[in-house]
Amino acid sequence: MRNSIGTSLIALSVGVMGAGSAFAQSGEDSTKSPTVGLADIIVTAQKRAMPLQDVPVAVTAFSGEAMRASNLDALTGLRGLVPGMTISRSGAALNTPQISLRGISLQDPNRAVESGIGFTIDGIPLAFQRGTLLDAFDIERLEVLRGPQGLLFGRNTTGGTLNVIRSRPDPDAPATGKLRATVGSFGRTDFEGVIMAPIIPGLLAIKGAIAIKKHDGEFRNSITGGREGKRDMRDYMLSLVATPTDRTSIYLSLERMEDDSEVPPYVPLMTPDLIALTGPKLLTPNGLGTLGYPTYVSGQNMQCLNPATAIVCRPLSKKRNDVETTQFPAYYNLNAVTLEVAHELDGVKLVSLSGYREDKEDQIGDFDATRFAIQRNDKRESSWQFSQELRAETQFDGPVNFVAGAFFIEYAFTARQFPSVDLAGLSPTTPPGTAYFNSLNAYLIRQKSRSFALFFQGDWDITDKLRVTAGARQTWDRKQTNFTLWGRLQQPFRDQFVLGPQQGPVSASVKFDELTPRIGVQYDVKPDLLVYANWSRGYNAGGFNGRAGSIVNAVIPYRPEIMDAYEIGFKSEWFNRRVRLNVAAFHNTLKDKQEDILTVAPGGALVTATVNAAKARYKGVEAELAVVPVAGWTITGSAGYLDAKYLSFVGNLAGQGLADLKDLKLRRTPKWTAGAISDYTFDLGAGRAGLNAAVYHTSRYETSVLNDPRGSIPPVTKIDLAMRYEFPVHDSLRMTLTGFVKNVTNNTVYDGFTSSNTAGSFIDFAIPSVGRTWGVSLAADF
């Protein structure tokens, strides 16, 4: 039985072939003929530099060079290339992802929401995921760790962690640099550059990096004929590395990002029809029984019922990525500082890692997504975080080694929103532009969090083939909230800044603590075959609602989520390292799952609140494959199968009655994810040519918590193609000319769906996806 399962998994991996862990090849000079075989991949998934094939967890790694060869300019390019992962750009904030790993998803960009997906940049864990859709030009390595990573990477990593490592200067290396200019569709003009040089050879080196990204908008406005979603981003980075002794290194980086882009526009999905949603079983009358609707409903949007605005339900264009609304300029500014000090003792490495980040954001939201200015929301947010980690990593020759340390993080955010709604979106008879609800649930919220943790993970080599790993992390959290709410004012004109009756401010605080252990065993069957099994516990922090509709709900805390995760797998290399196959199977249970449900506030109003309402189970199999058929040709691939379901879920979604909701499908949990990359290089004239093709696929998945069919994303398959030619100019300068086409088949299936989940709403829109794009880049490496 065991042999048949293993054979089936190998067949699955070979047959599907998506982008796998072997995609991270070493950065050889590609103007030289390559050797046959897969290179070692060094990762820091265990807080220590180790070969990927020796790490007993599921990790997909990408080198910066390989990402550039495939024109994966931003993290959204990983979609379909990591098993069990989906990633797209949020339509509600600049440079913010909507991501899922093994069924754990980040969909709400609200800063109060603790994501189950961790982001770490140069060792610094990010409290907020604004600005994390990083460009790949200065990335040295990207590691995607799948499954709970709470022991070493902290809380809020039940789905996994994206670990980004950027390039660092070397005092012992000569001056190097790389520049790239790109032009392309929609007026794209990008410039990127990185220069590293020793200031004092052997003692001090410096790196300067810059990225300027612009385009004229990737979406057509069918009303004006212009473009929407313009980009204007600038990122600057300066870093230093000092090695005062042969045992001590100091790394300091300073970063400034300025993003004046437009928030991606939306496509209205209004309908005059009432949509019956299957699945929920009502436990109480929903108030619609007299109308003959036995279950939850959606749709029948008010704009469609109002003759003065009904035209929005007959869009001018049938193209999925055409929009009807004009976007407003937004801005996002980020300042970040990272300081790492490392000192080597005999067999022990001591590391101090400090980080500080602050950002500000301002934008006007247009959540009705129509040609009429039904809803406007002036939003201004700011946040900061400070973190400090101290750890010891042993490097003993004996059978026992460990990583141990302490971690502290403090972070806070302030958010202010002043919504205004045209009554035409709330009434079937009011003409647009004649009456408004200003200060409609306008609020000001300030939240502050503090977390401290102690962690230890030890490895014991019982024999030269058998290793046991055990450890735990103890976390103590404290959260505080301060919330002020203003009531609405009905006025004949729109005023974004008028305030109605004030409620609050109200304040509250809450404490949590959790022990998250991990136990694992690994066995080297032979030098190139490792099998392993792990059990670990993950922990997502609790907290307070970030956009509560009442001052009562604003101070009612929700508890943490707890995940118990089991994983077995193997990592292997075959045929003199020309084939690499890694397979993992997992079974995870998430208890006290946090869900947004409708509750009744004092006075009878229905408001959304985050509560611990569900329990869910996630299980699946993931396979990664890399093959080198001949010198210069590498095929990498991965496939993931996911079976995710609610085990229990009782709530009152959309105020339509208490229901048994366990038959609903979890959001962003496609049953299948798969992808493949083929990269072939060959000698041509004085240089080397390269052909790169990538294909990725995700099966159908839901983006609406109520499984509204308008939010069901159908199966998506996309293809990218690229050609490059690299040639030497002289001994220290190489040039590369690249042409590429992304999304060759012009697949414009939506990336997501947002709804108020109530019948008669004026908010039901899709997030469009970018169609076919092309570009040409010229790069210089010296």
Side-chain angles (χ1 to χ4, degrees):
M1 177 67 179
R2 186 163 43 188
N3 290 337
S4 65
I5 293 176
T7 303
S8 300
L9 291 176
I10 292 174
L12 171 69
S13 307
V14 174
V16 178
M17 290 185 22
S21 57
F23 190 38
Q25 301 302 312
S26 62
E28 298 180 42
D29 183 348
S30 57
T31 61
K32 299 178 181 179
S33 298
T35 58
V36 178
L38 294 161
D40 282 330
I41 307 169
I42 304 300
V43 298
T44 54
Q46 299 289 286
K47 293 283 187 177
R48 291 180 289 179
M50 298 174 60
L52 174 68
Q53 294 301 97
D54 294 342
V55 178
V57 296
V59 183
T60 304
F62 300 85
S63 73
E65 182 177 337
M67 294 177 73
R68 290 190 294 274
S70 295
N71 290 282
L72 300 183
D73 293 328
L75 298 187
T76 49
L78 300 180
R79 178 177 178 174
L81 303 182
V82 178
M85 178 180 180
T86 70
I87 184 169
S88 59
R89 182 174 53 179
S90 170
L94 295 177
N95 270 323
T96 301
Q98 290 181 319
I99 184 173
S100 69
L101 270 172
R102 290 187 172 178
I104 303 299
S105 65
L106 164 64
Q107 183 151 314
D108 191 339
N110 188 282
R111 294 176 192 255
V113 176
E114 299 280 10
S115 165
I117 310 296
F119 273 79
T120 300
I121 298 179
D122 291 335
I124 304 298
L126 305 190
F128 309 104
Q129 297 188 356
R130 292 290 209 276
T132 55
L133 285 181
L134 302 174
D135 293 292
F137 191 68
D138 189 34
I139 291 179
E140 181 176 289
R141 187 174 68 257
L142 170 64
E143 302 168 1
V144 183
L145 289 66
R146 307 189 299 278
Q149 306 297 324
L151 197 159
L152 294 178
F153 289 89
R155 73 215 216 305
N156 303 335
T157 57
T158 50
T161 293
L162 275 70
N163 188 24
V164 178
I165 299 95
R166 292 187 284 200
S167 62
R168 296 188 180 187
D170 185 353
D172 293 319
T176 61
K178 54 186 178 182
L179 304 172
R180 181 172 68 179
T182 304
V183 297
S185 49
F186 307 119
R188 174 179 174 179
T189 55
D190 297 349
F191 175 78
E192 301 149 295
V194 178
I195 296 177
M196 296 185 284
I199 298 176
I200 304 175
L203 181 62
L204 181 64
I206 189 171
K207 181 187 86 171
I210 185 173
I212 301 174
K213 307 272 184 149
K214 293 185 178 183
H215 61 62
D216 298 331
E218 297 168 321
F219 306 100
R220 175 180 174 270
N221 189 315
S222 57
I223 303 298
T224 67
R227 310 299 305 181
E228 303 292 342
K230 298 177 179 63
R231 189 180 194 192
D232 184 2
M233 187 278 294
R234 301 162 301 282
D235 191 15
Y236 313 97
M237 186 174 181
L238 179 69
S239 62
L240 297 167
V241 169
T243 53
T245 73
D246 58 357
R247 293 192 169 200
T248 303
S249 66
I250 302 171
Y251 170 71
L252 173 67
S253 74
L254 309 172
E255 182 178 9
R256 167 75 174 179
M257 179 190 292
E258 300 171 350
D259 197 339
D260 298 324
S261 305
E262 294 176 348
V263 175
Y266 312 126
V267 177
L269 294 183
M270 307 295 179
T271 173
D273 303 316
L274 202 60
I275 302 172
L277 305 177
T278 60
K281 300 174 183 178
L282 288 172
L283 304 177
T284 60
N286 66 348
L288 300 172
T290 57
L291 300 177
Y293 301 107
T295 186
Y296 275 27
V297 293
S298 185
Q300 205 174 65
N301 302 103
M302 192 59 67
Q303 291 98 318
C304 300
L305 304 180
N306 188 332
T309 59
I311 191 174
V312 301
C313 299
R314 299 186 298 274
L316 290 180
S317 173
K318 294 184 178 180
K319 294 182 178 179
R320 281 186 294 243
N321 61 348
D322 278 2
V323 300
E324 297 187 0
T325 184
T326 299
Q327 290 299 102
F328 294 90
Y331 78 77
Y332 172 83
N333 290 342
L334 166 73
N335 297 308
V337 180
T338 300
L339 175 64
E340 179 183 296
V341 180
H343 183 69
E344 301 269 0
L345 300 174
D346 292 335
V348 180
K349 182 179 180 181
L350 303 177
V351 179
S352 169
L353 186 59
S354 312
Y356 178 79
R357 296 170 68 92
E358 62 177 17
D359 64 17
K360 292 184 178 180
E361 182 178 11
D362 190 359
Q363 69 180 63
I364 296 178
D366 179 25
F367 296 122
D368 64 277
T370 69
R371 67 194 75 176
F372 297 103
I374 301 296
Q375 197 264 9
R376 290 289 183 267
N377 181 26
D378 186 276
K379 179 180 72 171
R380 298 182 183 182
E381 300 186 11
S382 62
S383 70
W384 61 267
Q385 72 167 75
F386 170 77
S387 64
Q388 175 65 55
E389 179 175 314
L390 300 172
R391 72 174 184 269
E393 311 165 6
T394 67
Q395 303 164 356
F396 300 139
D397 294 331
V400 176
N401 277 284
F402 64 85
V403 176
F407 175 77
F408 171 81
I409 186 170
E410 185 172 27
Y411 54 94
F413 76 90
T414 299
R416 188 220 68 180
Q417 296 199 47
F418 291 161
S420 173
V421 175
D422 191 318
L423 261 62
L426 301 172
S427 164
T429 58
T430 304
T434 60
Y436 296 88
F437 275 147
N438 294 312
S439 185
L440 183 64
N441 289 329
Y443 68 81
L444 173 66
I445 184 171
R446 296 185 176 93
Q447 288 196 5
K448 186 176 182 179
S449 302
R450 181 177 297 170
S451 181
F452 176 73
L454 298 173
F455 60 90
F456 173 88
Q457 177 173 294
D459 298 327
W460 179 26
D461 293 332
I462 299 177
T463 70
D464 59 352
K465 292 187 175 184
L466 178 64
R467 171 179 292 178
V468 174
T469 300
R473 187 183 190 103
Q474 176 64 52
T475 304
W476 296 269
D477 286 333
R478 184 179 184 223
K479 290 200 170 188
Q480 301 169 278
T481 189
N482 181 283
F483 184 79
T484 303
L485 182 69
W486 288 272
R488 68 188 187 187
L489 292 174
Q490 184 171 343
Q491 296 178 306
F493 53 86
R494 167 167 276 145
D495 187 339
Q496 287 290 136
F497 303 103
V498 66
L499 293 175
Q502 180 174 327
Q503 304 174 49
V506 293
S507 301
S509 64
V510 66
K511 295 181 180 180
F512 307 106
D513 64 86
E514 189 67 32
L515 180 68
T516 50
R518 175 176 180 259
I519 299 174
V521 60
Q522 64 185 82
Y523 184 74
D524 292 317
V525 178
K526 58 180 185 176
D528 292 325
L529 176 58
L530 169 73
V531 297
Y532 67 90
N534 295 317
W535 170 81
S536 62
R537 175 159 291 169
Y539 161 58
N540 278 8
F544 295 97
N545 285 278
R547 56 168 77 91
S550 79
I551 59 173
V552 175
N553 282 343
V555 293
I556 298 176
Y558 52 88
R559 301 185 307 276
E561 299 175 324
I562 304 298
M563 173 174 279
D564 284 306
Y566 300 86
E567 179 178 317
I568 60 173
F570 68 83
K571 297 188 172 185
S572 63
E573 292 181 335
W574 308 87
F575 306 112
N576 198 25
R577 305 187 69 182
R578 296 180 65 161
V579 175
R580 179 177 292 155
L581 176 64
N582 298 339
V583 174
F586 61 92
H587 188 289
N588 303 337
T589 303
L590 186 63
K591 304 172 186 177
D592 284 332
K593 188 176 189 302
Q594 299 159 3
E595 297 285 359
D596 292 337
I597 68 171
L598 266 286
T599 61
V600 180
L606 287 170
V607 297
T608 301
T610 302
V611 299
N612 302 93
K615 181 179 181 181
R617 184 265 293 149
Y618 311 82
K619 63 180 181 179
V621 179
E622 300 163 345
E624 299 181 286
L625 177 70
V627 180
V628 181
V630 296
W633 187 15
T634 302
I635 303 172
T636 57
S638 72
Y641 171 79
L642 174 65
D643 178 12
K645 64 179 295 185
Y646 286 110
L647 299 178
S648 64
F649 185 10
V650 174
N652 181 1
L653 290 177
Q656 299 186 43
L658 190 65
D660 182 352
L661 303 164
K662 68 181 180 182
D663 290 334
L664 290 173
K665 296 178 181 178
L666 287 107
R667 290 183 291 181
R668 295 188 176 271
T669 55
K671 191 172 289 290
W672 289 99
T673 55
I677 291 181
S678 171
D679 192 84
Y680 179 58
T681 62
F682 54 93
D683 293 327
L684 182 64
R688 287 186 64 79
L691 303 176
N692 190 281
V695 58
Y696 55 88
H697 172 83
T698 55
S699 60
R700 181 180 298 273
Y701 61 90
E702 306 297 327
T703 59
S704 165
V705 66
L706 274 175
N707 296 172
D708 189 314
R710 292 171 294 175
S712 182
I713 306 300
V716 176
T717 301
K718 294 188 178 182
I719 300 171
D720 298 338
L721 299 175
M723 299 176 60
R724 65 186 183 273
Y725 183 65
E726 183 174 347
F727 55 96
V729 176
H730 55 73
D731 292 343
S732 59
L733 175 63
R734 302 194 317 271
M735 304 290 291
T736 304
L737 180 66
T738 303
F740 59 89
V741 180
K742 304 181 79 66
N743 192 5
V744 173
T745 59
N746 198 33
N747 190 317
T748 55
V749 170
Y750 297 133
D751 273 340
F753 172 74
T754 296
S755 172
S756 66
N757 298 318
T758 56
S761 168
F762 60 87
I763 298 178
D764 277 322
F765 63 81
I767 301 173
S769 63
V770 180
R772 182 189 302 113
T773 60
W774 61 268
V776 177
S777 68
L778 180 64
D781 291 78
F782 54 90

